[in-house]
Amino acid sequence: MRRLILAAAVIAPMLGHAAWAEDTVKIGYIDPLSGGGASVGEGGLKTFQYLADELNAKGGILGRKVEIVPFDNKTNPQEALVQAQKAIDAGVRYITQGNGSSVGLALED
């Protein structure tokens, strides 16, 4: 997961002008945060939040604060798509997901 955050730190500044206009780099974390997979999703969320805190303590990404924005997909591909749209509507331009290949495939499409 550390590599993903570090990759976001390198790639984020290169992607689109909208990211430059914002003071915060928002990364949407779409994973199960309720139901049977919640313990795995919550553990991943804590890891991402920890890494964002480390990045922010070192000045963020090119001076921009990193914010992890959680979204609960309930390990359901259709719900993941709903949550991805909510992330976009909330101004999130980067998303990550880690649990459930069916969810990952839905988001990839």
Side-chain angles (χ1 to χ4, degrees):
M1 288 200 197
R2 176 172 275 223
R3 288 183 185 174
L4 181 59
I5 292 289
L6 293 176
V10 171
I11 295 170
M14 296 182 246
L15 300 175
H17 298 289
W20 288 104
E22 298 176 8
D23 291 331
T24 302
V25 176
K26 295 181 181 181
I27 301 174
Y29 177 81
I30 302 176
D31 244 359
L33 301 174
S34 64
S39 62
V40 174
E42 288 288 342
L45 177 59
K46 287 179 183 179
T47 299
F48 271 82
Q49 288 173 329
Y50 172 81
L51 293 171
D53 290 344
E54 277 193 347
L55 275 173
N56 290 333
K58 295 176 182 177
I61 298 174
L62 295 177
R64 290 173 174 82
K65 179 183 172 191
V66 176
E67 178 184 355
I68 306 301
V69 184
F71 295 92
D72 183 9
N73 69 11
K74 303 174 181 91
T75 318
N76 179 295
Q78 291 77 24
E79 185 63 26
L81 295 176
V82 169
Q83 297 304 316
Q85 186 60 56
K86 286 183 181 181
I88 292 166
D89 293 344
V92 173
R93 297 295 172 246
Y94 312 98
I95 63 170
T96 185
Q97 174 276 333
N99 296 295
S101 58
S102 62
V103 170
L105 290 172
L107 289 170
E108 180 180 88
D109 286 341

